[in-house]
Every structure is written in structure tokens, then in C-alpha cells.
Short mmCIF file of all heavy atoms in Angstrom, two decimals:
data_model
loop_
_atom_site.label_atom_id
_atom_site.label_comp_id
_atom_site.label_asym_id
_atom_site.label_seq_id
_atom_site.Cartn_x
_atom_site.Cartn_y
_atom_site.Cartn_z
N PHE A 28 0.90 -1.26 0.06
CA PHE A 28 0.08 0.00 -0.02
C PHE A 28 0.83 1.34 -0.01
O PHE A 28 0.68 2.23 -0.76
CB PHE A 28 -0.92 -0.02 1.16
CG PHE A 28 -2.12 -0.89 1.12
CD1 PHE A 28 -2.23 -1.89 2.14
CD2 PHE A 28 -3.08 -0.75 0.18
CE1 PHE A 28 -3.38 -2.73 2.05
CE2 PHE A 28 -4.04 -1.58 0.01
CZ PHE A 28 -4.31 -2.60 1.04
N GLN A 29 1.90 1.33 0.88
CA GLN A 29 2.75 2.52 0.97
C GLN A 29 3.36 2.73 -0.43
O GLN A 29 3.54 3.86 -0.80
CB GLN A 29 3.75 2.24 2.08
CG GLN A 29 3.21 2.15 3.41
CD GLN A 29 2.27 3.41 3.86
OE1 GLN A 29 2.79 4.59 3.45
NE2 GLN A 29 1.17 3.15 4.33
N ALA A 30 3.95 1.73 -0.98
CA ALA A 30 4.61 1.93 -2.24
C ALA A 30 3.73 2.46 -3.37
O ALA A 30 4.11 3.36 -4.12
CB ALA A 30 5.09 0.53 -2.82
N CYS A 31 2.44 2.01 -3.36
CA CYS A 31 1.55 2.59 -4.27
C CYS A 31 1.18 4.02 -4.09
O CYS A 31 1.17 4.90 -4.89
CB CYS A 31 0.14 1.73 -4.13
SG CYS A 31 0.37 0.11 -4.84
N PHE A 32 0.93 4.48 -2.81
CA PHE A 32 0.44 5.81 -2.51
C PHE A 32 1.57 6.79 -2.54
O PHE A 32 1.40 7.92 -2.95
CB PHE A 32 -0.36 5.79 -1.20
CG PHE A 32 -1.70 5.12 -1.22
CD1 PHE A 32 -2.04 4.05 -0.69
CD2 PHE A 32 -2.76 5.71 -2.16
CE1 PHE A 32 -3.20 3.39 -0.81
CE2 PHE A 32 -3.96 5.08 -2.27
CZ PHE A 32 -4.27 3.90 -1.57
N VAL A 33 2.77 6.28 -2.08
CA VAL A 33 4.01 7.12 -2.24
C VAL A 33 4.31 7.45 -3.70
O VAL A 33 4.63 8.57 -4.04
CB VAL A 33 5.20 6.65 -1.42
CG1 VAL A 33 6.44 7.37 -1.76
CG2 VAL A 33 5.03 6.71 0.03
N SER A 34 4.21 6.35 -4.50
CA SER A 34 4.44 6.51 -5.93
C SER A 34 3.45 7.45 -6.58
O SER A 34 3.81 8.35 -7.45
CB SER A 34 4.33 5.20 -6.65
OG SER A 34 5.50 4.36 -6.14
N ALA A 35 2.13 7.35 -6.16
CA ALA A 35 1.14 8.18 -6.81
C ALA A 35 1.39 9.65 -6.43
O ALA A 35 1.30 10.62 -7.37
CB ALA A 35 -0.14 7.71 -6.25
N THR A 36 1.77 9.95 -5.32
CA THR A 36 2.00 11.35 -4.72
C THR A 36 3.29 11.80 -5.54
O THR A 36 3.31 12.94 -6.00
CB THR A 36 2.20 11.43 -3.32
OG1 THR A 36 1.11 10.94 -2.72
CG2 THR A 36 2.55 12.85 -2.87
N ALA A 37 4.34 11.03 -5.71
CA ALA A 37 5.53 11.41 -6.38
C ALA A 37 5.29 11.87 -7.78
O ALA A 37 5.61 12.89 -8.39
CB ALA A 37 6.64 10.35 -6.30
N VAL A 38 4.47 10.98 -8.51
CA VAL A 38 4.07 11.19 -9.90
C VAL A 38 3.25 12.47 -10.09
O VAL A 38 3.37 13.31 -10.99
CB VAL A 38 3.35 10.04 -10.55
CG1 VAL A 38 2.90 10.37 -11.92
CG2 VAL A 38 4.35 8.86 -10.56
N ALA A 39 2.27 12.68 -9.10
CA ALA A 39 1.40 13.85 -9.14
C ALA A 39 2.21 15.10 -8.97
O ALA A 39 2.15 16.03 -9.58
CB ALA A 39 0.27 13.85 -8.06
N ALA A 40 3.25 15.01 -8.02
CA ALA A 40 4.26 16.16 -7.87
C ALA A 40 4.95 16.48 -9.01
O ALA A 40 5.28 17.64 -9.27
CB ALA A 40 5.12 15.73 -6.68
N HIS A 41 5.32 15.48 -9.79
CA HIS A 41 6.17 15.75 -11.05
C HIS A 41 5.25 16.18 -12.20
O HIS A 41 5.75 16.71 -13.21
CB HIS A 41 6.84 14.50 -11.45
CG HIS A 41 8.13 14.27 -10.71
ND1 HIS A 41 8.15 13.49 -9.53
CD2 HIS A 41 9.38 14.44 -11.06
CE1 HIS A 41 9.34 13.51 -9.01
NE2 HIS A 41 10.20 14.10 -9.88
N THR A 42 3.86 16.06 -12.01
CA THR A 42 3.04 16.49 -13.15
C THR A 42 2.91 17.94 -13.07
O THR A 42 3.05 18.74 -14.12
CB THR A 42 1.69 15.82 -12.90
OG1 THR A 42 1.91 14.33 -12.99
CG2 THR A 42 0.63 16.13 -14.05
N SER A 43 2.57 18.59 -11.96
CA SER A 43 2.30 19.89 -11.80
C SER A 43 1.96 20.32 -10.32
O SER A 43 1.45 19.49 -9.59
CB SER A 43 1.18 20.50 -12.67
OG SER A 43 -0.02 20.21 -12.25
N THR A 44 2.10 21.55 -9.93
CA THR A 44 1.80 21.93 -8.66
C THR A 44 0.26 21.77 -8.28
O THR A 44 -0.14 21.39 -7.31
CB THR A 44 2.25 23.39 -8.30
OG1 THR A 44 3.53 23.57 -8.57
CG2 THR A 44 1.82 23.98 -6.94
N ALA A 45 -0.48 22.22 -9.30
CA ALA A 45 -1.92 22.08 -9.30
C ALA A 45 -2.32 20.58 -9.10
O ALA A 45 -3.37 20.28 -8.30
CB ALA A 45 -2.72 22.64 -10.48
N ALA A 46 -1.73 19.58 -9.86
CA ALA A 46 -1.99 18.24 -9.88
C ALA A 46 -1.77 17.64 -8.36
O ALA A 46 -2.57 16.93 -7.94
CB ALA A 46 -1.27 17.56 -10.86
N VAL A 47 -0.67 17.96 -7.91
CA VAL A 47 -0.28 17.29 -6.65
C VAL A 47 -1.20 17.95 -5.46
O VAL A 47 -1.57 17.31 -4.56
CB VAL A 47 1.18 17.45 -6.17
CG1 VAL A 47 1.50 19.08 -5.85
CG2 VAL A 47 1.56 16.67 -5.05
N GLY A 48 -1.51 19.18 -5.70
CA GLY A 48 -2.56 19.77 -4.65
C GLY A 48 -3.91 19.18 -4.64
O GLY A 48 -4.39 18.73 -3.71
N ALA A 49 -4.35 19.02 -5.93
CA ALA A 49 -5.60 18.24 -6.12
C ALA A 49 -5.50 16.89 -5.68
O ALA A 49 -6.51 16.37 -5.04
CB ALA A 49 -6.05 18.25 -7.58
N HIS A 50 -4.44 16.09 -6.01
CA HIS A 50 -4.31 14.79 -5.51
C HIS A 50 -4.37 14.66 -4.03
O HIS A 50 -4.94 13.71 -3.51
CB HIS A 50 -3.02 14.23 -6.14
CG HIS A 50 -2.65 12.79 -5.71
ND1 HIS A 50 -3.39 11.76 -6.19
CD2 HIS A 50 -1.78 12.23 -4.89
CE1 HIS A 50 -2.91 10.82 -5.68
NE2 HIS A 50 -1.94 10.96 -4.87
N GLN A 51 -3.58 15.61 -3.39
CA GLN A 51 -3.60 15.66 -1.97
C GLN A 51 -4.94 15.78 -1.34
O GLN A 51 -5.31 15.03 -0.37
CB GLN A 51 -2.69 16.70 -1.41
CG GLN A 51 -2.59 16.78 0.06
CD GLN A 51 -1.80 15.57 0.75
OE1 GLN A 51 -1.30 14.71 0.09
NE2 GLN A 51 -1.90 15.58 2.09
N ILE A 52 -5.83 16.62 -1.80
CA ILE A 52 -7.20 16.78 -1.38
C ILE A 52 -7.99 15.47 -1.46
O ILE A 52 -8.58 15.04 -0.48
CB ILE A 52 -7.87 17.89 -2.07
CG1 ILE A 52 -7.21 19.30 -1.66
CG2 ILE A 52 -9.35 17.98 -1.72
CD1 ILE A 52 -7.63 20.53 -2.47
N VAL A 53 -7.97 14.98 -2.56
CA VAL A 53 -8.77 13.83 -2.88
C VAL A 53 -8.34 12.61 -2.11
O VAL A 53 -9.03 11.69 -1.56
CB VAL A 53 -8.97 13.55 -4.36
CG1 VAL A 53 -9.87 12.37 -4.63
CG2 VAL A 53 -9.43 14.77 -5.08
N LEU A 54 -6.89 12.47 -2.09
CA LEU A 54 -6.38 11.24 -1.47
C LEU A 54 -6.56 11.35 0.14
O LEU A 54 -6.84 10.23 0.71
CB LEU A 54 -4.84 11.34 -1.73
CG LEU A 54 -4.11 10.08 -1.09
CD1 LEU A 54 -4.49 8.75 -1.69
CD2 LEU A 54 -2.54 10.31 -1.18
N GLN A 55 -6.60 12.50 0.65
CA GLN A 55 -6.93 12.59 2.11
C GLN A 55 -8.32 12.18 2.41
O GLN A 55 -8.70 11.50 3.49
CB GLN A 55 -6.57 13.91 2.66
CG GLN A 55 -5.05 14.19 2.69
CD GLN A 55 -4.29 13.17 3.42
OE1 GLN A 55 -4.54 12.81 4.54
NE2 GLN A 55 -3.27 12.65 2.80
N LEU A 56 -9.34 12.60 1.49
CA LEU A 56 -10.63 12.17 1.56
C LEU A 56 -10.78 10.71 1.52
O LEU A 56 -11.51 10.19 2.17
CB LEU A 56 -11.56 12.94 0.64
CG LEU A 56 -11.72 14.51 0.86
CD1 LEU A 56 -12.42 15.10 -0.29
CD2 LEU A 56 -12.63 14.62 2.20
N TRP A 57 -10.06 10.14 0.44
CA TRP A 57 -10.04 8.73 0.32
C TRP A 57 -9.56 7.95 1.56
O TRP A 57 -10.27 7.02 2.00
CB TRP A 57 -9.22 8.27 -0.93
CG TRP A 57 -8.94 6.95 -1.04
CD1 TRP A 57 -7.82 6.26 -0.45
CD2 TRP A 57 -9.65 5.84 -1.76
NE1 TRP A 57 -7.92 4.79 -0.81
CE2 TRP A 57 -9.04 4.65 -1.58
CE3 TRP A 57 -10.85 5.90 -2.38
CZ2 TRP A 57 -9.53 3.47 -2.15
CZ3 TRP A 57 -11.37 4.93 -2.99
CH2 TRP A 57 -10.78 3.64 -2.87
N MET A 58 -8.53 8.51 2.15
CA MET A 58 -8.04 7.96 3.38
C MET A 58 -9.02 8.05 4.49
O MET A 58 -9.04 7.07 5.41
CB MET A 58 -6.66 8.51 3.89
CG MET A 58 -5.52 8.31 2.86
SD MET A 58 -5.09 6.53 2.75
CE MET A 58 -3.62 6.69 1.68
N PHE A 59 -9.61 9.13 4.65
CA PHE A 59 -10.66 9.33 5.75
C PHE A 59 -11.75 8.37 5.54
O PHE A 59 -12.23 7.73 6.46
CB PHE A 59 -11.14 10.71 5.68
CG PHE A 59 -12.33 11.03 6.70
CD1 PHE A 59 -12.08 11.00 8.07
CD2 PHE A 59 -13.69 11.06 6.19
CE1 PHE A 59 -13.19 11.18 8.97
CE2 PHE A 59 -14.70 11.30 7.15
CZ PHE A 59 -14.40 11.36 8.49
N LEU A 60 -12.25 8.15 4.39
CA LEU A 60 -13.46 7.27 4.12
C LEU A 60 -12.86 5.73 4.30
O LEU A 60 -13.82 4.94 4.66
CB LEU A 60 -14.07 7.43 2.79
CG LEU A 60 -14.77 8.85 2.57
CD1 LEU A 60 -15.46 8.79 1.25
CD2 LEU A 60 -15.67 9.12 3.65
N ALA A 61 -11.69 5.53 4.00
CA ALA A 61 -11.07 4.14 4.34
C ALA A 61 -11.33 3.88 5.84
O ALA A 61 -11.57 2.63 6.12
CB ALA A 61 -9.71 4.07 3.70
N LEU A 62 -11.07 4.83 6.61
CA LEU A 62 -11.15 4.59 8.09
C LEU A 62 -12.56 4.51 8.43
O LEU A 62 -12.87 3.55 9.30
CB LEU A 62 -10.78 5.84 8.83
CG LEU A 62 -9.17 6.10 8.83
CD1 LEU A 62 -8.85 7.43 9.62
CD2 LEU A 62 -8.44 5.11 9.47
N VAL A 63 -13.56 5.15 7.73
CA VAL A 63 -15.01 4.99 8.09
C VAL A 63 -15.34 3.58 7.69
O VAL A 63 -16.10 2.88 8.47
CB VAL A 63 -15.78 5.97 7.36
CG1 VAL A 63 -17.23 5.70 7.43
CG2 VAL A 63 -15.49 7.43 7.83
N LEU A 64 -15.00 3.05 6.47
CA LEU A 64 -15.35 1.77 6.04
C LEU A 64 -14.64 0.69 6.76
O LEU A 64 -15.12 -0.46 6.92
CB LEU A 64 -15.02 1.65 4.54
CG LEU A 64 -16.00 2.49 3.55
CD1 LEU A 64 -15.38 2.50 2.14
CD2 LEU A 64 -17.36 2.02 3.70
N ASP A 65 -13.40 0.99 7.32
CA ASP A 65 -12.74 -0.01 8.06
C ASP A 65 -13.27 -0.34 9.36
O ASP A 65 -13.05 -1.40 9.90
CB ASP A 65 -11.37 0.52 8.24
CG ASP A 65 -10.28 -0.67 8.31
OD1 ASP A 65 -10.50 -1.57 7.80
OD2 ASP A 65 -9.23 -0.40 9.18
N SER A 66 -14.21 0.49 9.95
CA SER A 66 -14.98 0.14 11.12
C SER A 66 -15.71 -1.12 10.91
O SER A 66 -15.91 -1.91 11.80
CB SER A 66 -15.70 1.38 11.65
OG SER A 66 -16.72 1.73 10.70
N LEU A 67 -16.43 -1.14 9.83
CA LEU A 67 -17.18 -2.37 9.43
C LEU A 67 -16.32 -3.65 9.34
O LEU A 67 -16.58 -4.82 9.79
CB LEU A 67 -17.88 -2.32 8.19
CG LEU A 67 -19.29 -1.62 8.19
CD1 LEU A 67 -19.93 -1.64 6.74
CD2 LEU A 67 -20.31 -2.49 9.04
N ALA A 68 -15.12 -3.39 8.80
CA ALA A 68 -14.08 -4.51 8.64
C ALA A 68 -13.62 -5.11 10.04
O ALA A 68 -13.51 -6.21 10.29
CB ALA A 68 -12.83 -4.11 7.93
#
């Protein structure tokens, strides 16, 4: 998991400042909802 998400952030950072900013927003929401769904797990 860490290899995937670190790689995704690195590629977004190399794409553009706007891309890495947008990726960070959506990724943090993804991580938050993963916690919500993990409670059922």
C-alpha cells in the first residue's frame, strides 16, 4: 500500500503543482473514508 500511494504522490508532484494539490485533497478524503469503512471490517 505504501509503495502505491507514495508513488502516486511522487508522480502527481512531477506532473504540476496544481495536480499534486488536487491529488492531496482527494487522497486525504479517500484515506478518511477508508477509516470509516474499516470500522465495518
Side-chain angles (χ1 to χ4, degrees):
F28 284 120
Q29 295 302 316
C31 288
F32 288 112
V33 169
S34 295
T36 300
V38 172
H41 282 84
T42 301
S43 70
T44 302
V47 73
H50 178 72
Q51 177 68 7
I52 290 169
V53 183
L54 182 63
Q55 290 309 306
L56 288 170
W57 170 268
M58 295 297 188
F59 174 73
L60 292 190
L62 291 179
V63 173
L64 292 169
D65 208 31
S66 62
L67 271 180

